[in-house]
Amino acid sequence: MNKKLWIIVIIAVLILFTLLVTSYAYPKLMQEDNPKQVIEGIIQLNLKNLELYEYDSNTISKQYITRSTDGFDVIKMMLEDEGWIFNEQFGSGYLFESSVKTEENITISSVQFTRYFKLWLIPQTAF
C-alpha cells in the first residue's frame, strides 16, 4: 500500500513540474506564428555555428534569425552586399536607402526572441 502511494506522489509531482515548465515556456514559444521554424533556426544557428539563418520566406518577405549580440551587424552587411545603405533606426525598424536606385527605401523590422536571439523581417524587394 505504501509503495502505491509513493508512485502516485511521484507521478503527481512530475505532472505538476511539466505543467509549470510548459506554462513558463509557452508564451515565449508562441509569440511567433511559426515557433517550429524559429526553434529549428535556433538549432541550426547553434549546431552549425552560423551568424544568420533564414527560417521562413514568402512572396512578400524573408525572415531571418540571428544572435542578439551582433545581429544587426550581420543583417547590415548582408544588405550592403545587396546595394543598400543604412540610414537610421526607428525603434525596432531600420531604414535602408538604395545605393543604386534613387528614392528607393526599405524598412526592415526586428523582434527580440528571448534574450539571446533576434528575428528579422526583410522585404523581398531588398533582394
Side-chain angles (χ1 to χ4, degrees):
M1 195 74 163
N2 229 356
K3 190 175 182 180
K4 288 181 182 180
L5 182 62
W6 276 108
I7 292 173
I8 292 172
V9 168
I10 290 172
I11 291 173
V13 168
L14 288 174
I15 290 172
L16 182 62
F17 178 75
T18 303
L19 289 174
L20 286 173
V21 168
T22 304
S23 68
Y24 175 76
Y26 186 79
K28 289 174 179 47
L29 292 175
M30 293 303 154
Q31 77 181 16
E32 295 302 313
D33 291 337
N34 46 2
K36 180 182 173 192
Q37 292 174 325
V38 173
I39 292 170
E40 177 186 327
I42 290 171
I43 291 169
Q44 293 296 325
L45 277 177
N46 290 317
L47 286 179
K48 296 181 179 177
N49 201 21
L50 301 172
E51 295 180 332
L52 173 76
Y53 182 78
E54 181 181 340
Y55 69 90
D56 195 13
S57 180
N58 57 41
T59 57
I60 299 170
S61 64
K62 290 185 176 188
Q63 295 178 348
Y64 294 91
I65 187 167
T66 63
R67 289 181 181 79
S68 295
T69 54
D70 58 351
F72 176 67
D73 295 332
V74 172
I75 295 292
K76 183 179 172 185
M77 286 186 342
M78 180 184 71
L79 289 174
E80 284 175 351
D81 291 343
E82 295 290 331
W84 297 95
I85 300 169
F86 173 67
N87 188 357
E88 62 185 297
Q89 178 180 356
F90 300 103
S92 65
Y94 299 85
L95 181 65
F96 284 82
E97 295 177 343
S98 175
S99 62
V100 180
K101 301 174 186 173
T102 59
E103 303 288 326
E104 188 172 350
N105 297 323
I106 59 166
T107 302
I108 65 169
S109 60
S110 68
V111 174
Q112 190 73 34
F113 187 80
T114 72
R115 109 180 137 177
Y116 301 107
F117 300 100
K118 215 170 222 192
L119 307 178
W120 299 88
L121 183 66
I122 301 176
Q124 283 284 7
T125 56
F127 304 98

